[in-house]
Amino acid sequence: MSKVDPRDFLLNTDYEMDKIILFKSGTINAGQYDVRIQHGLSFAPLTFGVFAYTDDFSGPRPMPYQYVTPELTIDVGLYSDPTNLYLSYHNSSGTPATIYYRIYAFEPSDSHASITHTSGFANNFILSTDYNYCKLKEKGVVDANTSATIQHNLGYLPQVLVWNELNGYTNQVCNSMPYLGGAPNVKVTEQAVIITDIPRAHYRIYYDEA
Amino acid sequence: MTRPSDFILNSDYLSIAQTGRSEHTLTFAGGTLQPGGSAGDYVVHTTDFTIASEPGSIDRIMISTNGGDFYIGYQTSFEAAPLAYGSLDVCRITKNTMRATMVVANSSDSVNTFPSMSFRIKITSFRPPNIF
């Protein structure tokens, strides 16, 4: 039997597809540093999200997000624990005073909980073969307090997502700072994912190319 | 309720759909930095490039500096020259425009120079679920 290449498929029931198990949206004001939203799950969800300066989300940026220059600092925080989502927004310029956010989440690989369906939010197709849905190759949790290497051996650069769990709080690794000592970073090669300075790293590696 | 971890696919849960992939190469000119702690000890350069998306787009970004390895994230750090460190930030500013911002700062007590910097940026974009 010939081997299939998952990249040739928009959907493929041989490979797991991401399922969003949580969705939250709203606004947050500059200077709010500890906004808590109970999520109702029994675990710390693997969150990801976007924020924007306008409610049409025409210029979305990732959450969490940090932009630091000598002239301007913008810091939008997002992390979770088994009870809450935590949001914060700091802008050294003071404007815009309010940002809009949308937060999504996956279930960690070490959780197998019963979770309320999220499809009820939908006003259109849940799935559409007009688009590609990423096919998960593997997911897991690894101790990368110094460094950890996960061999994927795909021969190309796959899409990779990583979350940093520290002292019970989890946030997505949205930036890699290899020249900042002690800062989490994630390197991707054609054979491996190398995670550094993350005590407990949740990862997802996809067959789909970056 | 069900356990989503029991399913390969399950349309009871939302998913995000990939709308595109692209790669961009950006080059920033080198420069001269004044001694650290004095005026002119850092530079900020920006460049915009076009990449179509939908409102609320979720982007997965990887960045390679000067032909080196790719790192995940919208932001990376690098050593532009001995004692001159920098960062590159890549984010959407409008629906179809991304902005790359490079900051290089001098940690030396002397005037420092750094060469031109080249970055390869891989971007995979996803449309938000049909809930808006």
Side-chain angles (χ1 to χ4, degrees), chain B:
Chain B
M1 291 200 296
T2 49
R3 296 204 300 186
S5 56
D6 289 340
F7 294 84
I8 301 291
L9 303 176
N10 190 323
S11 58
D12 286 333
Y13 299 93
L14 299 168
S15 189
I16 53 171
Q18 180 177 329
T19 55
R21 281 175 58 224
S22 61
E23 183 170 324
H24 308 261
T25 299
L26 305 177
T27 302
F28 293 85
T32 300
L33 303 169
Q34 298 306 306
S38 62
D41 66 347
Y42 71 92
V43 293
V44 180
H45 294 311
T46 64
T47 188
D48 294 348
F49 57 97
T50 300
I51 172 170
S53 78
E54 301 186 18
S57 172
I58 302 156
D59 299 306
R60 294 178 185 170
I61 301 174
M62 292 168 57
I63 303 173
S64 157
T65 304
N66 287 341
D69 292 311
F70 276 93
Y71 288 82
I72 69 169
Y74 70 90
Q75 187 181 71
T76 191
S77 65
F78 52 86
E79 183 180 39
L83 296 178
Y85 298 100
S87 66
L88 183 80
D89 176 288
V90 179
C91 281
R92 284 193 188 275
I93 56 171
T94 68
K95 179 168 159 293
N96 294 321
T97 304
M98 277 199 158
R99 173 164 293 166
T101 303
M102 185 184 79
V103 179
V104 181
N106 191 5
S107 298
S108 168
D109 295 333
S110 310
V111 171
N112 206 343
T113 59
F114 64 95
S116 66
M117 302 293 299
S118 172
F119 302 92
R120 284 174 64 198
I121 303 165
K122 288 181 177 285
I123 301 171
T124 308
S125 298
F126 296 80
R127 67 194 308 267
N130 285 320
I131 54 180
F132 306 105

